[in-house]
Amino acid sequence: MSVVEEAVALKEKGNQAVKERDWPTALEYYTQAINLNDKEASFYSNRAQANIKLEAYGFAIADATKALELDPNFVKVFANTAILKHDDALRDWKIVVKKNPGDRVAKAQCDACQKTVKRDAFIKAIEVADAPSAAEGLDLDSMEVEASYDGVRLGGEMTEEFINDMLQRFKDGKKIHRKYVFQIILAVKEIVYNEPTMPEVELQKGQQLTVCGDTHGQFFDLMEIFRLNGSPSATHSYLFNGDFVDRGSWSTEIALTLYAYKWLYPTGFWLNRGNHETDDMNRMYGFEGECKAKYTERVFKLFSESFSALPLATLIGKRFLTLHGGLFSDDKTSLDDIRKLDRHQQRQPGQSGLMMEMLWTDPQPQPGRGPSKRGVGLQFGPDVTKKFCEANGLEAVIRSHEVRMEGYEVEHGGKCITVFSAPKYCDTTENKGAYINVGPEYNLEFHKFDAVPHPNIKPMAYANQGLMSMM
């Protein structure tokens, strides 16, 4: 077999892995094919698709660009570029339409992208720096719950009875009354606003803390965690490490469930902000649309305000820094810098700075730092993690933010741990979910679990469909 034939065979193995929804394996085969023959545009195009599925948008753009360098008429890859940058995506779609004027799909995508660019410009034009809260003028006292409402009533405090009834309603495809939605969001917004940017949790004898990663609107898999591991209680705390919402089509159910437990156990249930607890991601990946479809636009705006109030990290037993993304561009950044960060001065993370890095960065196997595979943030190596942990007296950093096929992964010599709690992610990846149990001795116990069936509603049912079809 010649080198060219061997490369093609590796590409075919990658294609088979794609059919099996094993994106990391597909990525590896396409990379091996490129290493043997780096002049074939289709290898880069296929790897770009695998990178998109792994949300490595920066790497996908690089591969698509390389494919175009090799074959300027290889228009397939234009549709793979600039997923997060709508202006750039529109430029590429216009090129596709120009090269293939009869392609109706490309024309529809170009039109959808044009609308999104106009929407972005409109939102930016009407933004007000100190906009009034969506809670202004909201009179909960005069908001009646109809006599026909068949659920448990909520008074001035959260109760287990209300939560149990709410969870059953969600399982049955029902909603809770909008008054209760407002009550829950407003109560939790006040609680988390008054928490430090990095709460510090100590476990006493008889207590257990469970750390969960991304849940991404997969409500029925969240219920599976509680079935397997026990519901939150006075002695069983939970920490959800960001990305509660988007992609999955039960994001409001997850957000309300986590918020209800936060209200019930304000000092025993913890929520870190993720990169999907942000306005731009919510507009793109479904949470805004879901709030509007199931409740009202005001509900989304209140959730948005509450997301911006969430802590950015949690320190467990002074041993484990838990945050959604990862570490920093500057080796001098310390736990004290996180403690001092006033997150209330910056509602959205932006494209640079400490908050952005806490929500967006990823580990890499190579030493040092590298460009972000997502196009936002950066990547940090094992030496960066080791230095940070030693300087701050930590055993390890626990983060989420990325699919892991086994639900979790221990990297960087045991000092960087990724946990991801959305099994069969978006119904397109055959990954397990995982969670970590921590006792008063601060030993970490890893548990894996499989996805459970859910009603026949596809992921991202409420997302920006014009742009989602690019993915």
Side-chain angles (χ1 to χ4, degrees):
M1 182 183 294
S2 68
V3 171
V4 172
E5 290 173 329
E6 187 177 350
V8 171
L10 287 166
K11 173 191 171 184
E12 293 304 318
K13 289 183 177 181
N15 293 346
Q16 182 60 39
V18 166
K19 292 178 182 178
E20 297 169 359
R21 299 175 175 178
D22 186 349
W23 312 117
T25 298
L27 187 71
E28 178 61 27
Y29 279 128
Y30 294 142
T31 299
Q32 291 178 28
I34 289 169
N35 289 340
L36 290 177
N37 178 11
D38 62 0
K39 304 300 182 185
E40 173 54 52
S42 67
F43 295 172
Y44 291 95
S45 174
N46 285 15
R47 191 168 72 174
Q49 290 285 6
N51 274 316
I52 286 174
K53 290 297 184 180
L54 291 168
E55 300 180 11
Y57 301 125
F59 286 0
I61 291 170
D63 279 340
T65 301
K66 181 64 177 179
L68 289 168
E69 290 175 2
L70 294 170
D71 184 355
N73 293 314
F74 199 67
V75 297
K76 174 183 175 183
V77 298
F78 278 97
N80 299 337
T81 64
I83 298 298
L84 296 179
K85 297 180 180 179
H86 302 149
D87 288 330
D88 293 345
L90 178 61
R91 176 204 64 205
D92 289 346
W93 278 115
K94 286 180 177 178
I95 295 173
V96 174
V97 171
K98 184 177 180 179
K99 287 179 176 288
N100 291 277
D103 189 333
R104 294 182 179 180
V105 173
K107 180 64 167 60
Q109 298 293 359
C110 187
D111 290 345
C113 195
Q114 178 79 65
K115 291 177 181 177
T116 299
V117 169
K118 289 181 178 179
R119 182 210 63 189
D120 291 346
F122 175 74
I123 290 171
K124 185 175 182 179
I126 65 173
E127 278 182 348
V128 178
D130 295 313
S133 170
E136 283 196 15
L138 185 62
D139 187 357
L140 293 180
D141 292 335
S142 64
M143 192 177 294
E144 291 187 12
V145 177
E146 297 80 6
S148 59
Y149 181 74
D150 60 351
V152 170
R153 306 295 169 122
L154 178 63
E157 298 292 337
M158 182 54 63
T159 65
E160 283 194 44
E161 180 188 18
F162 180 87
I163 291 177
N164 292 336
D165 176 74
M166 179 180 70
L167 297 183
Q168 189 58 53
R169 293 178 70 82
F170 290 164
K171 292 174 185 177
D172 294 339
K174 296 180 178 181
K175 299 181 290 185
I176 60 173
H177 195 277
R178 61 191 177 95
K179 176 178 181 177
Y180 301 152
V181 174
F182 291 137
Q183 279 184 264
I184 292 169
I185 300 172
L186 291 174
V188 172
K189 177 188 171 185
E190 181 178 1
I191 292 169
V192 298
Y193 186 94
N194 290 311
E195 290 180 334
T197 295
M198 183 180 68
E200 303 187 27
V201 178
E202 300 287 339
L203 298 175
Q204 305 302 320
K205 184 176 180 180
Q207 287 185 306
Q208 176 175 276
L209 172 67
T210 297
V211 181
C212 296
D214 305 37
T215 52
H216 275 304
Q218 296 184 197
F219 172 75
F220 293 89
D221 295 316
L222 173 64
M223 294 298 97
E224 179 70 355
I225 292 175
F226 291 160
R227 186 189 73 82
L228 293 170
N229 194 54
S231 296
S233 70
T235 57
H236 188 174
S237 301
Y238 274 81
L239 165 58
F240 283 84
N241 196 28
D243 281 15
F244 325 130
V245 301
D246 282 338
R247 298 190 180 273
S249 295
W250 290 270
S251 289
T252 57
E253 286 82 358
I254 281 199
L256 289 168
T257 298
L258 300 185
Y259 273 30
Y261 276 120
K262 179 62 180 177
W263 189 5
L264 183 62
Y265 300 112
T267 60
F269 193 92
W270 308 98
L271 301 171
N272 285 344
R273 189 178 188 179
N275 66 300
H276 276 268
E277 280 71 54
T278 56
D279 287 352
D280 54 350
M281 303 299 277
N282 294 160
R283 292 188 186 112
M284 180 78 170
Y285 292 100
F287 186 60
E288 180 183 46
E290 184 179 336
C291 287
K292 291 177 178 178
K294 294 180 179 178
Y295 295 103
T296 65
E297 183 177 12
R298 192 177 213 169
V299 166
F300 169 69
K301 289 181 176 179
L302 287 172
F303 265 125
S304 173
E305 292 176 19
S306 71
F307 288 165
S308 69
L310 289 168
L312 303 179
T314 302
L315 183 62
I316 303 173
K318 295 183 174 59
R319 304 184 188 197
F320 303 103
L321 174 65
T322 307
L323 72 173
H324 183 71
L327 296 181
F328 313 103
S329 56
D330 187 345
D331 282 334
K332 295 179 182 178
T333 301
S334 68
L335 294 181
D336 279 339
D337 291 311
I338 299 174
R339 291 184 180 103
K340 294 173 185 175
L341 177 63
D342 185 356
R343 68 191 188 279
H344 302 311
Q345 296 299 313
Q346 183 182 351
R347 283 204 61 221
Q348 303 301 322
Q351 296 292 311
S352 62
L354 190 59
M355 181 187 294
M356 180 280 294
E357 292 176 356
M358 294 176 74
L359 302 186
W360 276 99
T361 62
D362 296 294
Q364 64 179 23
Q366 303 86 2
R369 293 178 175 85
S372 169
K373 61 187 176 184
R374 301 172 186 270
V376 182
L378 56 92
Q379 298 189 164
F380 58 95
D383 55 329
V384 175
T385 306
K386 182 175 184 290
K387 186 179 296 184
F388 180 83
C389 287
E390 289 177 350
N392 290 277
L394 299 174
E395 289 187 19
V397 173
I398 300 175
R399 42 90 62 181
S400 301
H401 195 39
E402 292 182 280
V403 177
R404 291 293 189 258
M405 295 306 290
E406 293 301 311
Y408 74 95
E409 186 173 1
V410 181
E411 305 169 80
H412 293 185
K415 293 189 177 299
C416 181
I417 299 162
T418 298
V419 59
F420 192 84
S421 303
K424 200 172 184 181
Y425 182 44
C426 287
D427 287 351
T428 62
T429 304
E430 296 300 324
N431 64 292
K432 295 183 181 295
Y435 52 88
I436 306 170
N437 282 335
V438 188
E441 302 300 320
Y442 298 102
N443 298 316
L444 304 184
E445 296 180 0
F446 298 92
H447 297 268
K448 298 186 288 187
F449 68 102
D450 294 314
V452 296
H454 61 72
N456 189 25
I457 302 174
K458 293 182 179 180
M460 295 190 285
Y462 304 95
N464 184 326
Q465 293 303 316
L467 293 180
M468 281 302 100
S469 57
M470 281 192 276
M471 302 180 67

